[in-house]
């Protein structure tokens, strides 16, 4: 396997590092059903990586029901945080984090999610001490697919974006990584797989174990 070394890893959170997309879908579906509409997995895939507020706005636009974005975003966040203890890391996440630490590769969590959500997940898995940087959707002007989150994450680590590897499960995130000038590793699953990643990713792999091998961090 061809490998590419990187000085730092810029990691998405939901669906990449943490197996949270099923929980997100369940909560989003309940939110729509309470208003008489059905939110499907295909609907959810179109919003991957864009942040919760954008997802809720998309629901209102698609189905035509009234929204209070501040109130509704807070409601969905509260439901997620109530259940954060049920989440698990994705296969290969622990091994990849361990290998990066051992080989002195920088680590940043770079998520479009709100700071409160990211904080809850970071605390759930004890990640804070392992990360050199945490960048959330509230820390930048433009969310993915704009490159802002990854450019800021690289800057906070003190590593040029071109020498960083972005790991993403969403097309919006992979597009952001490409726009930032980073190496892009796509790790999509389910309905997201095969949705244009070949245009923006250097490689598309099945899990974080494979991503680590491609980066030369895991055997």
């Amino acid at each position: 396997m061809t490998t590419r070394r990187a000085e730092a890893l810029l990691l998405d959170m939901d669906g990449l590092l943490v197996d949270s997309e099923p929980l997100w879908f369940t909560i989003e579906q309940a939110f729509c059903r309470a208003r008489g509409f059905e939110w499907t997995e295909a609907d959810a895939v179109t919003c991957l990586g864009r942040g919760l507020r954008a997802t809720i706005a998309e629901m209102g636009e698609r189905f035509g029901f009234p929204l209070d974005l501040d109130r509704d975003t807070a409601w969905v966040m509260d439901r997620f945080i109530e259940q954060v203890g049920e989440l698990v890391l994705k296969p290969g996440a622990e091994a990849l984090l361990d290998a990066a630490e051992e080989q002195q590769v920088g680590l940043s969590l770079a998520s479009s999610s709100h700071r409160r959500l990211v904080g809850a997940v970071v605390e759930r898995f004890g990640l804070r001490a392992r990360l050199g940087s945490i960048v959330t959707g509230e820390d930048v002007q433009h969310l993915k697919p704009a490159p802002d989150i990854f450019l800021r994450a690289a800057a906070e680590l003190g590593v040029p974006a071109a020498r960083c590897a972005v790991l993403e499960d969403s097309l919006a995130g992979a597009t952001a990584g490409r726009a930032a000038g980073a190496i892009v590793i796509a790790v999509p699953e389910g309905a997201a797989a095969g949705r244009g990643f070949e245009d923006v990713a250097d490689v598309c792999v099945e899990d974080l174990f494979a991503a680590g091998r491609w980066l030369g961090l895991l055997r």
Side-chain angles (χ1 to χ4, degrees):
M1 175 186 290
T2 301
T3 62
R4 293 276 299 275
R5 296 293 295 187
E7 294 180 23
L9 307 184
L10 313 182
L11 305 167
D12 179 48
M13 184 178 77
D14 289 304
L16 185 283
L17 198 63
V18 179
D19 192 11
S20 54
E21 295 300 352
L23 176 57
W24 276 122
F25 177 66
T26 298
I27 296 170
E28 291 165 2
Q29 192 175 56
F31 179 82
C32 284
R33 283 179 174 173
R35 289 154 179 80
F37 297 92
E38 189 68 19
W39 184 249
T40 68
E41 289 190 23
D43 293 327
V45 166
T46 65
C47 295
L48 283 178
R50 293 169 51 196
L52 176 57
R53 196 176 180 91
T55 298
I56 293 174
E58 175 68 19
M59 292 173 179
E61 182 176 339
R62 184 168 303 189
F63 299 125
F65 54 68
L67 292 172
D68 179 323
L69 275 177
D70 290 336
R71 178 200 64 202
D72 296 335
T73 299
W75 184 90
V76 173
M77 282 198 290
D78 288 344
R79 302 293 81 72
F80 181 88
I81 290 171
E82 286 171 0
Q83 300 174 74
V84 75
E86 301 174 13
L87 298 178
V88 296
L89 292 174
K90 296 283 284 187
E94 195 72 48
L96 182 64
L97 293 171
D98 287 345
E101 286 186 287
E102 290 168 5
Q103 298 175 49
Q104 298 184 319
V105 173
L107 290 168
S108 177
L109 190 62
S111 170
S112 291
S113 289
H114 288 70
R115 191 176 295 117
R116 188 157 70 96
L117 291 171
V118 174
V121 171
V122 166
E123 293 305 315
R124 160 74 177 90
F125 294 105
L127 297 175
R128 195 170 301 277
R130 309 184 75 172
L131 299 168
S133 165
I134 299 174
V135 182
T136 75
E138 294 180 71
D139 298 321
V140 296
Q141 184 173 1
H142 303 292
L143 299 182
K144 304 168 187 178
D148 301 34
I149 283 177
F150 293 127
L151 291 173
R152 176 158 177 166
E156 289 190 359
L157 292 176
V159 179
R163 298 209 292 269
C164 295
V166 163
L167 281 73
E168 269 285 355
D169 69 306
S170 73
L171 185 57
T175 301
R178 173 60 64 224
I183 301 164
V184 178
I185 303 173
V187 195
E189 67 174 8
R195 293 177 59 92
F197 285 97
E198 67 278 0
D199 296 328
V200 292
D202 291 278
V203 66
C204 191
V205 298
E206 66 271 18
D207 57 27
L208 292 176
F209 287 114
R213 290 192 294 270
W214 193 83
L215 287 163
L217 294 172
L218 296 174
R219 294 183 179 180

